[in-house]
Amino acid sequence: MENKKSGRIILQAKDIIKQYKQYDSVVTAVDRATFEVSDGEFVAIIGASGSGKSTLLHICAGLDRPNSGTVSVRGNELTAMGPDELAVFRGNYLGMIFQNHNLIPQFTALENILVPTLMCNKPDTSYEEHLKKLVATLKIADRLHHLPSELSGGQQQRVAIARALINRPQVVFADEPTGNLDRANADEVLELLMQTKEVMRQTLIIVTHDMSIAAKADRILKMDNGKLEPYRG
Amino acid sequence: MAYRRPYYNEDHKLVRYGPVDFIKDSIGAVIRFFSPSNIKFAFRSVTAGFREFAAFFVALSLLQSLFWMIWLRNDSYAAEAKKEAYSGEGYNLIVEGIDEEAWADLYNKQFVFAEARTVEERGYERMDRETYFTGSAEYMIRLKFVLTEDSVEYCGRFARKYTLNREEFSLSYGERTGYLGKIASVRGRSVLTTVLAGLLAAAILMLLFYIRTNRNKFMYGIFVSFGGGFSKLMETAGWEMFAVAILTFLPSAGLSCLAYFLIARFQGAEFVFLPQRIPVALLWILCAVLLAAVPGIFVLTRRTPVALLTAADNSNYVSSPRRSFRIFGKSFPYHYELYGFVRFRKYYAMVLLSAVLFTSLFSCGLFFADMKRAEGEAAHPAFTVTSGGEEIDPLDIDALADIPGVKYISFGSYVFATELRSIVLLSDRQAAGISSKTVKDRTTGLVADNNVRYGLLSERLVTETAKGMWSVEGDLSKVAGSDIYVAVSTTVSNRYAMDFRVGDSIRIGVFESAGRPLSFEKPDRLYALSMLVNEAYFDYIDVTVAAVVDDGDTSDTYCIYLSDSLFEKVTKRDASVTEADIYLDQTVRTLDLGGIRESVVKIMTGYDGYSVKSLDAVFDYNLYKRAGERLPIVICAAAILLISPMVWIFSQAAFSAKRETEIYMLSAMGGTDRDLWKLFLFSGGILALLASAVTAALGSLINYGVFCFANYLLPSLGMGESVRYRYLFSVPGFLICVLLSAAGALLSTCLPFITYKKNRDRTERAASGEVRRG
């Protein structure tokens, strides 16, 4: 796959295959996917439902293991890391925004946002300022002590974004970040992501089926029946 | 301990991870683990989320109580044993066969030695004995030391220092030293029971922890997604468990002490509390907690975050509905829930087995308590005397029996059939229980066996058995002095293996000669028996069973008791008594034992090479009476029983929470509250029935396993107490188990319906705007 930007390669996925066994048949969710992403690039992966884009994103974010193939972030091969090593790497360098927010229902918005800092043993002073800026930018300052069940879908999504960004990750993965939002909210959330990406000089990889969002990316990749190819629309 | 290989940092530069970094990281991890924030967080977490940790609070309280009960019991038992030992007469060391010079030497030296140790008390005794052959006096020293914990060691040092290099000395330990060995064994048993209880505690906590991690898989999935590795999750989970353990430490220790104090009062036993047990208890529970948490967290962190997050929708036990969801045309809720049992079969099997296991352990505990009682009350000889080969005079036996405190004497002479190359021919019915260990005799069609011993039954012994030594069916008096009547025992390795009846005929084969030289190269009894049956000639003596006796023997052979003349005919040996077991009344105190021993020794001194061996039976029985084990065991078993309802409630609450969406869906699709209540009730009813059945089956199975282990396996391996246990199933205990299992299953299934209704009402209120929404 070609890179739109000429920066250093930050993410490299090579020959990723992911298969699931369902009763007697084997379903290939990702079929030899190979691509590279440069530092600071914004890449969108589009495709129909069930085409395997979320699975690919999870593998690239180190949340799932491929059956074969390698994923490297900044030259560090995620697929060769042990579970603990990978967990620490994820916590420090990768941020993930899940499709359905995945907020812990028993925790308040603030506690949910601070989970990555707790997991990576970050001292309070290291994120205090950053947290203030994040919640202000994401407009959730007055909702920090509410449980997820007391927040709207848009607010929950913002909390999920704040959680993904709190440790200042180098690469942010977002799985349908606007999937559950109306147009106005969706645009606003995307704007926020782009804004933080620029401010924090992050790499952003988004999975979406919304072409209007994908159109804002530096590069679009298309997933079709598990196969990844450049979008030539 | 993040990276163990070179990695590229934020600036894409390769950073090497050396041993120094590893040490730094390791130290950092340890410091972080013990950081006050972790401890504070854990305490806050368990106190704020009390409901979430309720099962652990109850379990850890019960388990710590179990620990305290074990130690309080053992410390008190050891104190009683010490008191009993102190109350006993007798000596620590007995040095025999020395001349006057050596006696004087030892006499002086033991004083010096004893002075070096303690000035409070030392004792010695000089006994002169004329020896018949030399005409010179033979001296004996019996030493009695101040009885303290290190007396055994002291005796050993004394023996090494003064006598071991003098071969002419005969040195033996007296019963006082033996009692100290008993105290040491109580301590050894305490350590063993603590380790076993620790493993049990870890297993129970592991089960609860597994249920908890399963329930919170989603939360752990998020933690792992955002950087939580094994050590980080252990920091939180481990400390949470520690926090519960520490919060329950004092209440459980206090309550156990109070409970044991009352038990001790009730039993009239001593109550001992040793403060040094406190750090041991803390260490014990911390080890158990760590053992319980480590595997759960380890397994959790080996899974990918995606697997944890997507598994959140089911309970991990739930099978795919596709395989069993055939509810079309069936009734709701009964058929629906019956299929639910198929759908959730793995979960139900797991919860049934784990919850019922504890009720079964309770019934096993009751059985174990009965076994302990049987052990305590079983008759054991207090002394074994041997004459050194010479026949013990019947008058001396009478004299032994007349010693005050002696209940009865068991004496005789035994010869194994294998020693004589003798066989017995039995009918198929008589030998049915040992059929695999016998050989068919083709000539007579009878069954040949040689796993038997021949015992001498004198008239004197018949008199003794009438004092309650044996239980007898038939007429034992017919045997003594008869050449045709015999008495038989029926047990082999504690099993009633032989089917002998009064009036049965038995043929005893006395070896005459063999057609060819017999070779017994193979050390196999059955092979030897087969060779004897096929190659040897026997002189057969037909005898009739006049009495079937239970002689209390636990060995792996049964016995045919013969009169003097028949014994000599069969064994071709003198019908002389060379050995006797002396049983004492249960009223005899340890204090009186020294005097009784003196009297026994006095009678036996007439025999060259005699020996009088003390067997601690009186000490054991008095200790059993002072500090019986039954009640503490029953209380510990009851503590374990209480874990069962907790497992029911904890797992069913977690399971119902997983099914809540399904129940909402059923409600949304038209299921009325009445229907849903019926669903819960039906499910609970079925589970209660299953739980009752499994409890009955598993309880019987475990009890029978314990019975076979103690009654058959241990004696056959030459271990365990020489006690015949009865397989007793405590009916009240059994009913408690079944009822508790049924109630646990029913209530734990039905109670979540209330939670479901509460949650639904709350949701409805939220929908109507009562709860603030963004």
Side-chain angles (χ1 to χ4, degrees):
Chain A
M1 304 290 150
E2 291 170 46
N3 289 346
K4 198 174 166 185
K5 286 197 170 182
S6 54
R8 275 193 286 200
I9 302 298
I10 193 155
L11 186 141
Q12 192 171 36
K14 208 173 169 187
D15 289 332
I16 302 290
I17 298 177
K18 181 71 183 178
Q19 293 175 320
Y20 295 104
K21 205 176 171 197
Q22 279 189 345
Y23 304 107
D24 303 329
S25 60
V26 174
V27 176
T28 305
V30 181
D31 191 2
R32 295 190 182 283
T34 300
F35 71 108
E36 285 175 352
V37 180
S38 300
D39 209 351
E41 199 179 3
F42 173 15
V43 174
I45 302 172
I46 58 165
S49 293
S51 60
K53 34 187 209 304
S54 291
T55 307
L56 179 64
L57 195 78
H58 287 151
I59 291 170
C60 291
L63 297 170
D64 204 355
R65 299 264 185 195
N67 293 88
S68 72
T70 57
V71 177
S72 303
V73 173
R74 226 175 45 222
N76 301 298
E77 198 181 320
L78 305 191
T79 36
M81 287 182 185
D84 291 337
E85 202 180 346
L86 183 57
V88 176
F89 190 87
R90 267 197 311 263
N92 283 302
Y93 302 111
L94 309 177
M96 179 75 200
I97 303 164
F98 291 97
Q99 188 173 8
N100 41 7
H101 324 313
N102 278 354
L103 300 178
I104 298 172
Q106 303 95 313
F107 287 14
T108 62
L110 179 63
E111 286 166 341
N112 267 294
I113 293 169
L114 295 183
V115 162
T117 64
L118 182 77
M119 290 299 125
C120 298
N121 302 304
K122 303 270 181 189
D124 293 0
T125 46
S126 71
Y127 59 80
E128 226 162 343
E129 275 305 306
H130 180 49
L131 174 70
K132 278 181 193 163
K133 278 184 196 165
L134 262 181
V135 295
T137 313
L138 291 164
K139 296 174 190 161
I140 47 173
D142 57 338
R143 284 280 179 265
L144 288 180
H145 299 292
H146 288 217
L147 290 172
S149 59
E150 296 163 359
L151 301 174
S152 70
Q155 285 166 337
Q156 287 185 30
Q157 190 66 294
R158 283 156 206 260
V159 173
I161 292 170
R163 180 178 64 182
L165 301 177
I166 188 73
N167 275 356
R168 297 187 184 87
Q170 278 197 309
V171 187
V172 176
F173 298 88
D175 189 0
E176 303 271 13
T178 57
N180 299 322
L181 306 177
D182 55 38
R183 172 53 53 196
N185 259 312
D187 286 345
E188 204 178 334
V189 163
L190 188 71
E191 199 53 46
L192 282 170
L193 277 174
M194 306 262 295
Q195 200 182 325
T196 49
K197 170 191 163 311
E198 288 308 321
V199 173
M200 293 162 72
R201 290 192 295 279
Q202 287 163 326
T203 303
L204 182 61
I205 301 170
I206 279 187
V207 157
T208 182
H209 59 262
D210 187 340
M211 270 313 292
S212 64
I213 287 170
K216 292 180 182 168
D218 297 332
R219 189 154 55 104
I220 304 174
L221 301 172
K222 190 184 174 193
M223 201 75 181
D224 191 12
N225 271 334
K227 291 196 183 294
L228 187 72
E229 52 196 38
Y231 178 66
R232 301 179 203 284
Chain B
M1 289 177 283
Y3 304 107
R4 287 176 193 169
R5 67 183 85 206
Y7 74 101
Y8 291 92
N9 69 4
E10 288 90 333
D11 302 323
H12 294 254
K13 283 186 184 152
L14 191 67
V15 179
R16 296 203 179 273
Y17 188 79
V20 178
D21 301 298
F22 179 75
I23 293 167
K24 264 193 204 165
D25 278 2
S26 304
I27 294 170
V30 172
I31 292 171
R32 269 202 311 278
F33 185 80
F34 289 100
S35 71
S37 63
N38 266 339
I39 300 169
K40 208 173 93 184
F41 183 79
F43 272 90
R44 218 186 57 196
S45 171
V46 297
T47 45
F50 180 78
R51 273 179 66 184
E52 180 85 2
F53 289 93
F56 290 98
F57 273 100
V58 179
L60 281 162
S61 301
L62 288 172
L63 293 170
Q64 290 186 94
S65 303
L66 185 70
F67 171 91
W68 281 106
M69 288 296 284
I70 289 171
W71 274 99
L72 287 167
R73 151 87 201 145
N74 287 338
D75 286 338
S76 303
Y77 195 80
E80 288 291 345
K82 197 186 277 183
K83 212 193 269 178
E84 194 62 38
Y86 280 17
S87 76
E89 282 295 324
Y91 303 91
N92 292 104
L93 281 175
I94 301 156
V95 189
E96 290 174 291
I98 52 175
D99 56 23
E100 191 170 8
E101 191 188 343
W103 176 84
D105 186 38
L106 274 176
Y107 168 78
N108 292 324
K109 280 178 178 168
Q110 73 92 8
F111 265 91
V112 174
F113 195 74
E115 291 279 8
R117 179 172 175 262
T118 172
V119 289
E120 280 183 50
E121 192 220 310
R122 60 268 178 202
Y124 77 99
E125 197 169 320
R126 175 178 136 165
M127 281 183 72
D128 302 346
R129 197 164 67 199
E130 288 287 331
T131 61
Y132 179 79
F133 296 103
T134 61
S136 61
E138 200 176 70
Y139 290 83
M140 171 193 255
I141 288 183
R142 295 193 291 193
L143 306 172
K144 188 174 178 180
F145 303 132
V146 175
L147 204 56
T148 56
E149 299 258 337
D150 62 344
S151 289
V152 175
E153 194 196 327
Y154 179 66
C155 290
R157 273 180 15 230
F158 185 88
R160 274 196 302 278
K161 191 158 183 173
Y162 294 115
T163 62
L164 215 64
N165 55 350
R166 305 275 299 264
E167 282 176 6
E168 65 269 30
F169 291 172
S170 155
L171 182 138
S172 55
Y173 291 107
E175 52 265 41
R176 271 167 73 88
T177 303
Y179 300 150
L180 293 171
K182 286 271 169 192
I183 298 168
S185 83
V186 170
R187 297 215 186 288
R189 203 171 52 170
S190 307
V191 174
L192 182 70
T193 44
T194 309
V195 171
L196 289 177
L199 291 177
L200 176 75
I204 292 167
L205 292 172
M206 208 183 288
L207 178 70
L208 294 176
F209 197 77
Y210 178 68
I211 296 170
R212 178 177 151 73
T213 49
N214 229 5
R215 183 182 185 173
N216 296 314
K217 216 177 261 177
F218 171 77
M219 190 173 74
Y220 283 112
I222 295 293
F223 287 165
V224 176
S225 297
F226 290 97
F230 173 78
S231 56
K232 186 69 215 175
L233 296 190
M234 268 310 290
E235 273 175 35
T236 48
W239 272 113
E240 279 168 357
M241 294 292 100
F242 286 173
V244 180
I246 289 162
L247 287 171
T248 50
F249 182 77
L250 277 180
S252 49
L255 281 174
S256 307
C257 285
L258 182 68
Y260 199 81
F261 175 75
L262 294 173
I263 294 171
R265 270 290 171 89
F266 176 73
Q267 289 188 324
E270 190 151 334
F271 173 76
V272 177
F273 176 81
L274 300 176
Q276 59 262 42
R277 298 287 172 248
I278 293 174
V280 180
L282 272 173
L283 190 69
W284 177 84
I285 197 64
L286 294 190
C287 288
V289 156
L290 264 186
L291 257 177
V294 166
I297 294 291
F298 183 78
V299 170
L300 202 74
T301 49
R302 297 308 99 176
R303 301 185 67 182
T304 63
V306 165
L308 293 172
L309 294 172
T310 51
D313 294 335
N314 58 49
S315 70
N316 199 38
Y317 300 119
V318 181
S319 318
S320 168
R322 285 198 210 177
R323 291 184 189 175
S324 55
F325 210 65
R326 299 188 191 95
I327 56 168
F328 305 110
K330 301 291 191 301
S331 72
F332 181 80
Y334 303 118
H335 277 113
Y336 178 85
E337 196 50 21
L338 266 183
Y339 283 114
F341 270 89
V342 181
R343 275 197 295 153
F344 306 128
R345 59 191 176 274
K346 284 185 193 169
Y347 164 73
Y348 283 128
M350 177 92 175
V351 74
L352 264 173
L353 277 178
S354 48
V356 157
L357 182 68
F358 297 107
T359 51
S360 306
L361 285 178
F362 168 70
S363 90
C364 186
L366 293 186
F367 180 55
F368 192 61
D370 275 337
M371 285 169 65
K372 282 282 163 196
R373 184 165 58 183
E375 265 173 38
E377 290 175 0
H380 293 290
F383 303 107
T384 292
V385 296
T386 50
S387 62
E390 206 178 327
E391 182 175 10
I392 301 176
D393 193 318
L395 289 174
D396 284 336
I397 288 177
D398 286 341
L400 286 172
D402 289 341
I403 296 172
V406 172
K407 190 176 180 188
Y408 49 75
I409 298 173
S410 171
F411 52 88
S413 193
Y414 295 93
V415 184
F416 288 94
T418 44
E419 281 179 42
L420 307 168
R421 296 188 179 185
S422 163
I423 60 168
V424 289
L425 295 179
L426 308 168
S427 70
D428 286 333
R429 189 252 299 157
Q430 288 165 345
I434 52 162
S435 57
S436 61
K437 294 168 184 169
T438 55
V439 171
K440 196 87 177 169
D441 178 38
R442 269 172 267 162
T443 324
T444 57
L446 293 168
V447 174
D449 181 35
N450 65 350
N451 190 34
V452 58
R453 61 190 196 284
Y454 300 115
L456 174 64
L457 186 77
S458 62
E459 276 181 37
R460 182 72 184 77
L461 187 58
V462 173
T463 319
E464 287 299 310
T465 58
K467 293 178 184 172
M469 195 168 81
W470 292 354
S471 66
V472 180
E473 184 196 334
D475 186 0
L476 206 56
S477 60
K478 270 186 178 177
V479 180
S482 162
D483 274 354
I484 52 165
Y485 289 116
V486 294
V488 284
S489 72
T490 54
T491 57
V492 177
S493 298
N494 257 350
R495 204 185 288 269
Y496 290 93
M498 312 305 296
D499 186 4
F500 289 124
R501 293 169 197 173
V502 175
D504 273 3
S505 294
I506 298 173
R507 301 191 85 185
I508 299 174
V510 181
F511 181 76
E512 281 281 298
S513 62
R516 63 180 175 86
L518 297 179
S519 154
F520 296 105
E521 281 167 12
K522 286 189 189 173
D524 177 28
R525 188 188 62 79
L526 209 57
Y527 171 78
L529 176 65
S530 170
M531 189 175 282
L532 280 172
V533 170
N534 294 322
E535 306 287 346
Y537 297 103
F538 294 95
D539 179 14
Y540 287 106
I541 302 170
D542 289 307
V543 292
T544 304
V545 174
V548 179
V549 301
D550 186 351
D551 55 5
D553 185 77
T554 57
S555 70
D556 60 352
T557 55
Y558 58 99
C559 186
I560 299 178
Y561 288 97
L562 310 165
S563 65
D564 294 13
S565 56
L566 205 50
F567 183 83
E568 285 179 355
K569 219 156 133 189
V570 170
T571 64
K572 295 182 175 146
R573 294 183 187 181
D574 285 342
S576 58
V577 174
T578 56
E579 193 179 315
D581 287 333
I582 299 173
Y583 291 79
L584 301 184
D585 275 331
Q586 292 187 331
T587 50
V588 171
R589 295 169 304 163
T590 306
L591 180 66
D592 308 324
L593 216 52
I596 296 174
R597 193 179 193 280
E598 284 293 301
S599 309
V600 173
V601 169
K602 213 170 180 180
I603 294 166
M604 294 305 292
T605 42
Y607 300 91
D608 278 338
Y610 82 92
S611 75
V612 177
K613 194 177 166 194
S614 300
L615 297 169
D616 299 336
V618 172
F619 179 86
D620 287 344
Y621 181 72
N622 284 322
L623 194 54
Y624 162 75
K625 271 201 303 191
R626 286 167 79 133
E629 286 179 281
R630 197 169 186 278
L631 193 57
I633 292 175
V634 170
I635 289 173
C636 287
I640 292 171
L641 175 72
L642 291 177
I643 293 170
S644 175
M646 207 174 57
V647 172
W648 275 118
I649 289 169
F650 193 48
S651 23
Q652 286 288 79
F655 179 65
S656 300
K658 301 277 182 200
R659 278 191 80 183
E660 213 168 64
T661 315
E662 182 192 343
I663 302 298
Y664 286 136
M665 282 304 294
L666 292 173
S667 172
M669 298 296 163
T672 62
D673 272 3
R674 195 180 156 79
D675 286 338
L676 294 175
W677 169 240
K678 277 186 196 166
L679 183 143
F680 277 91
L681 199 64
F682 179 70
S683 178
I686 297 270
L687 209 54
L689 281 177
L690 285 173
S692 310
V694 176
T695 301
L698 200 67
S700 319
L701 203 69
I702 291 181
N703 275 13
Y704 192 68
V706 172
F707 170 72
C708 290
F709 180 76
N711 213 40
Y712 305 141
L713 189 68
L714 284 183
S716 71
L717 298 173
M719 293 185 280
E721 298 278 339
S722 305
V723 176
R724 186 163 309 140
Y725 303 106
R726 280 189 304 154
Y727 180 57
L728 279 177
F729 209 90
S730 158
V731 176
F734 177 74
L735 285 177
I736 288 172
C737 291
V738 170
L739 285 175
L740 195 85
S741 288
L746 186 68
L747 291 176
S748 66
T749 313
C750 293
L751 285 177
F753 180 73
I754 299 165
T755 316
Y756 151 76
K757 277 195 77 177
K758 256 192 207 166
N759 287 349
R760 194 191 56 185
D761 293 348
R762 200 171 53 209
T763 313
E764 278 170 6
R765 280 204 307 277
S768 63
E770 274 183 45
V771 176
R772 183 172 42 165
R773 287 179 65 87

